[in-house]
Amino acid sequence: MTTDHAHVDPFGSYKAEWLSDQKMFDLFRKPTYFPDLESNRPCVLVGGRGTGKTTVLKCLSYQAKHHFEEQDVTKIAGWKYVGLYHRINTNRVTAFVGPELTDLQWERLFSHYVNLLLCSQLAQLLDWHQSLYPAISSISKEDCEIVSLALKIDPSSNIYELKSSIKTGIVKFEGYLNNLEPDNLPEVSLQGQPIDEFCEIVSERTPLAGKRIFFLIDEFENLLDYQQVIFNTLLKHSQLYSIKIGVREFGWRNKRALRSQESLVSPADYALINIDSAFDDNAFSEFATSVCDDRLRSAYSSDDGTPPLSIKDLLPGLTWRQEAELLGLTSKSEEIRREIKNSSIRIDLETLDDFDLFLAKIWSEDHDEKLEKILSLAIKDKISWRNRTNNYGHVALFRLRQGRSGTSIRKYYSGWDTYVKLSHKNIRYTMQLVDEARRQHRELGNSIDIRIEPETQTHAAQRVGRLNLGELEGFENGGQLIKLLLGLGRIFERMSGNTAVAPETNQFHFDDNEKLPDDAYKILQAAVMNLAVIRTKATKLSSEHDLRAYDYFVHPIYAPYFVFSYRKKRKLKLSAEQFLGLVHSTQSTIKDILKSKRLDPDAELPEQLKLFEGFYASNS
């Protein structure tokens, strides 16, 4: 019997903000791109929510490095860098805007605030170091006075006073913003100057001399546009420190430097690390496997010392033929055999299994070829038939329960490899899928050391899709994104189960010659930024900012809920009018698109989608 000795579900805290820093450090495993972030160059880490940006940035911090080295203070001398983590707080930064002041005044006030925040991080670093070495002063009285003077705060003579004085300065300054007096502005520090002064002191005249300073700026998208420019300028002109930015795709809206017409460009000014492209499929699978197996080992042990099941063993998959059996292949093949027996076809079917027979039947129907010809090919040319099965076996599974009602499973989504593909390089989604599967497994009365059935895995994947669909409501344009997904999901569901035997259609793209209107552009940006859809470079390469130069794929985390394929195959061309129609007049647009593909728009919804039955029926 396997027991949970930690009394904590190892997958329940799959969001970084739900974990204490110590727990996060314990569970951290380095992704393949981690060494790039440890270089001295400024870096911009781009990825959607849940791709691990926060975890990676926090694990670059000096607190994490000290934890990884088991609090061995003797190793600090050998460090090459110290990382200082700061998360952009929306409540704070949005206070620096309004009609009370000019743009230049707001810019100066915010620059002073950034000086205070980053210098506070440096003071905390020195205070931490002195707590480890109480007999060694981390900073001289003269240098404390220099920093205090540069920041326009109360003078201090040691690190404890300096840390307290900066904290007091931040609180007073934030209070001032709430009681703004345009004619009585406070004295402020010069953009970046106190940071440079303090970094020079730390790098040359403290026990941490010689170590590169990393400012780790998380959730960069929360900054207003002019505020991003201020950080851009720090990044571009930094010499004694490096800035590492974590940001969502499309979240870095302004790449200009302060009072300069130049934009920051990669690789001249910074190293761009896009998590989606930094991980290939195999690398992410190995990373996710390591993360999940480590969590299982850390939380569970057995009475007899037997290790817990690996994540691959815990989540068994199905072959196409096994899945076809569960979806009712036997009854389908019996119908086909009876039909052939009562026809003029004279072929020995003993060498064909049920799946081959089913594939031959639907191929014959969809391509208007004689069934006898297809069966002969399957029997006589095994290599050619095996290639056809490999190419079309997956999409054929969607046909087995076509037209059948009363079931919540029309297609199985099970197996570790499938879960990895559904999460699409998003470690949060991976752990959310595993967490939900294990939760449903336990609720059925099963022990944690028993493999999770494919049916349970599928129901879990459906629920995770539904939960993430609902979570979009809390984001900007959330209501529009939900409508867009409901429209695309229904279209791809109908096309998966009813098109001719061919690679599945589950992507969309735009006409090269059609200009996207601003409202369509804004919705598409929000869809990519919030992982409703994924964009990939199309063959028609153009400007990075030309959204027509990309193909778009509904994030596969939603595939089980809508019942379409998670594999990127064929594309559906949408006009800007159709794209906006899926948001503003969803039902009528769905009907128009499906009718153009000779598909019935009024076919019964999958069981789990009946929650939206009223929406699909009434929207126009």
Side-chain angles (χ1 to χ4, degrees):
M1 174 66 70
T2 302
T3 56
D4 174 2
H5 60 72
H7 303 291
V8 176
D9 191 308
F11 297 95
S13 298
Y14 47 80
K15 293 185 178 182
E17 55 265 35
W18 292 350
L19 291 168
S20 68
D21 284 351
Q22 298 304 308
K23 187 64 175 177
M24 181 191 300
F25 301 156
D26 284 336
L27 296 172
F28 178 66
R29 295 298 172 268
K30 289 183 180 180
T32 54
Y33 57 82
F34 195 78
D36 295 331
L37 287 167
E38 292 185 297
S39 71
N40 286 339
R41 297 186 64 195
C43 297
V44 177
L45 182 64
V46 179
R49 56 190 174 90
T51 50
K53 300 186 302 298
T54 293
T55 299
V56 167
L57 289 176
K58 280 194 171 185
C59 288
L60 280 166
S61 69
Y62 66 89
Q63 297 96 327
K65 197 168 184 64
H66 189 51
H67 180 88
F68 296 150
E69 295 180 347
E70 300 179 344
Q71 287 79 42
D72 187 346
V73 296
T74 64
K75 293 185 177 181
I76 297 175
W79 290 4
K80 294 182 178 179
Y81 66 86
V82 286
L84 310 175
Y85 175 85
H86 179 75
R87 173 183 168 273
I88 300 298
N89 188 312
T90 305
N91 293 322
R92 305 289 193 276
V93 298
T94 52
F96 290 85
V97 66
E100 303 92 342
L101 302 178
T102 65
D103 291 345
L104 181 58
Q105 287 172 318
W106 281 122
E107 186 179 281
R108 287 175 175 171
L109 288 175
F110 185 74
S111 295
H112 175 65
Y113 188 58
V114 171
N115 289 340
L116 288 169
L117 291 176
L118 298 191
C119 286
S120 176
Q121 292 283 352
L122 289 165
Q124 290 176 52
L125 167 67
L126 293 180
D127 180 55
W128 168 80
H129 189 272
Q130 187 153 330
S131 71
L132 300 178
Y133 295 94
I136 303 175
S137 176
S138 61
I139 185 172
S140 69
K141 176 182 177 181
E142 292 76 16
D143 285 333
C144 285
E145 291 173 347
I146 289 173
V147 174
S148 300
L149 187 63
L151 285 171
K152 311 298 181 183
I153 58 175
D154 294 338
S156 51
S157 59
N158 58 56
I159 188 56
Y160 307 114
E161 292 179 3
L162 180 60
K163 176 185 170 185
S164 177
S165 183
I166 296 176
K167 178 63 177 177
T168 300
I170 291 173
V171 172
K172 284 183 177 179
F173 190 71
E174 289 174 344
Y176 161 78
L177 290 175
N178 249 8
N179 302 275
L180 195 63
E181 295 182 21
D183 296 328
N184 187 26
L185 297 180
E187 191 176 15
V188 296
S189 56
L190 184 65
Q191 157 78 24
Q193 188 264 342
I195 302 171
D196 291 338
E197 289 281 1
F198 207 166
C199 284
E200 181 179 345
I201 290 168
V202 173
S203 298
E204 297 179 3
R205 301 194 293 277
T206 73
L208 294 171
K211 305 183 193 312
R212 186 72 171 180
I213 297 167
F214 292 171
F215 288 112
L216 313 168
I217 311 300
D218 197 11
E219 299 192 17
F220 194 75
E221 65 275 3
N222 291 342
L223 292 166
L224 303 178
D225 284 5
Y226 85 87
Q227 295 167 350
Q228 290 190 350
V229 171
I230 289 171
F231 274 96
N232 293 345
T233 306
L234 292 176
L235 182 153
K236 189 174 182 66
H237 296 288
S238 59
Q239 294 181 344
L240 297 171
Y241 60 88
S242 295
I243 290 183
K244 315 286 183 176
I245 289 172
V247 64
R248 292 189 195 180
E249 193 164 10
F250 286 126
W252 194 6
R253 300 174 304 278
N254 194 334
K255 296 183 180 180
R256 184 174 59 82
L258 195 63
R259 301 201 227 301
S260 169
Q261 298 306 311
E262 292 183 347
S263 293
L264 273 65
V265 294
S266 172
D269 297 310
Y270 62 92
L272 176 65
I273 303 173
N274 188 302
I275 293 176
D276 189 58
S277 56
F279 269 134
D280 63 29
D281 291 338
N282 289 334
F284 178 77
S285 179
E286 291 176 5
F287 171 70
T289 300
S290 173
V291 168
C292 291
D293 280 345
D294 283 347
R295 290 194 174 213
L296 289 172
R297 283 191 295 267
S298 68
Y300 298 105
S301 63
S302 62
D303 298 335
D304 60 3
T306 304
L309 290 176
S310 70
I311 194 66
K312 292 181 179 180
D313 290 334
L314 187 68
L315 299 169
L318 296 167
T319 66
W320 289 340
R321 285 173 168 76
Q322 288 171 334
E323 182 174 350
E325 290 290 339
L326 293 175
L327 292 171
L329 176 65
T330 301
S331 61
K332 283 278 189 181
S333 65
E334 287 175 351
E335 292 175 9
I336 298 170
R337 290 181 192 277
R338 284 195 297 269
E339 178 185 333
I340 293 174
K341 184 178 180 180
N342 296 327
S343 71
S344 59
I345 297 175
R346 295 294 178 262
I347 286 182
D348 180 11
L349 301 178
E350 295 301 320
T351 58
L352 291 178
D353 65 17
D354 289 348
F355 190 80
D356 290 329
L357 196 60
F358 172 68
L359 182 59
K361 174 64 175 175
I362 61 174
W363 188 279
S364 170
E365 293 173 348
D366 292 347
H367 291 83
D368 197 23
E369 295 183 37
K370 289 184 178 181
L371 179 58
E372 186 172 8
K373 176 184 175 183
I374 305 301
L375 292 171
S376 297
L377 174 67
I379 293 170
K380 296 176 182 179
D381 191 346
K382 298 293 186 183
I383 295 177
S384 176
W385 184 253
R386 188 183 306 116
N387 289 336
R388 184 172 295 184
T389 302
N390 290 337
N391 289 332
Y392 303 108
H394 180 81
V395 69
L397 294 171
F398 290 90
R399 298 286 292 275
L400 276 163
R401 287 196 171 174
Q402 180 182 355
R404 294 178 59 181
S405 59
T407 176
S408 59
I409 295 183
R410 295 188 181 185
K411 170 75 177 66
Y412 282 84
Y413 297 84
S414 63
W416 171 243
D417 289 341
T418 296
Y419 268 26
V420 168
K421 290 180 174 68
L422 292 177
S423 61
H424 188 74
K425 306 178 187 178
N426 187 305
I427 193 64
R428 182 188 299 178
Y429 284 163
T430 307
M431 290 192 289
Q432 188 180 11
L433 287 164
V434 176
D435 177 53
E436 183 61 29
R438 295 177 74 258
R439 184 188 68 80
Q440 293 193 22
H441 181 69
R442 290 194 304 271
E443 288 181 353
L444 292 171
N446 296 309
S447 171
I448 56 174
D449 56 359
I450 300 296
R451 289 174 173 82
I452 302 175
E453 291 296 324
E455 181 178 1
T456 304
Q457 294 181 51
T458 301
H459 285 309
Q462 289 174 348
R463 186 168 188 272
V464 168
R466 172 68 187 94
L467 290 173
N468 280 286
L469 183 69
E471 198 170 290
L472 289 173
E473 192 170 1
F475 300 121
E476 185 179 0
N477 304 106
Q480 294 177 324
L481 298 184
I482 290 174
K483 289 180 180 179
L484 177 65
L485 283 180
L486 288 172
L488 290 170
R490 177 59 167 167
I491 290 168
F492 292 145
E493 177 264 323
R494 296 294 297 131
M495 296 185 80
S496 290
N498 294 275
T499 54
V501 176
E504 47 274 49
T505 300
N506 52 15
Q507 298 182 84
F508 66 95
H509 67 113
F510 298 98
D511 192 313
D512 295 355
N513 300 316
E514 183 181 16
K515 179 177 172 58
L516 289 180
D518 290 344
D519 49 351
Y521 188 95
K522 184 177 180 180
I523 293 169
L524 194 55
Q525 274 194 325
V528 172
M529 190 172 178
N530 293 297
L531 297 185
V533 301
I534 298 165
R535 65 171 185 165
T536 56
K537 280 285 182 70
T539 53
K540 52 180 188 298
L541 293 179
S542 181
S543 165
E544 177 186 355
H545 304 289
D546 184 358
L547 298 189
R548 297 169 301 173
Y550 292 84
D551 296 329
Y552 296 89
F553 181 39
V554 173
H555 197 292
I557 198 68
Y558 299 106
Y561 186 65
F562 290 107
V563 194
F564 60 83
S565 175
Y566 52 78
R567 310 189 311 173
K568 287 188 287 188
K569 291 296 181 180
R570 288 188 171 178
K571 297 177 290 187
L572 172 71
K573 182 183 287 187
L574 290 179
S575 66
E577 181 181 4
Q578 288 173 321
F579 178 78
L580 289 171
L582 288 171
V583 173
H584 301 303
S585 52
T586 312
Q587 181 60 19
S588 60
T589 305
I590 291 173
K591 285 185 175 182
D592 290 343
I593 292 174
L594 290 179
K595 285 180 178 178
S596 72
K597 303 297 179 182
R598 299 181 181 179
L599 296 173
D600 179 11
D602 298 317
E604 186 177 21
L605 291 166
E607 192 71 20
Q608 67 275 10
L609 274 179
K610 289 186 177 178
L611 175 68
F612 293 100
E613 194 167 23
F615 170 82
Y616 282 117
S618 63
N619 188 267
S620 61

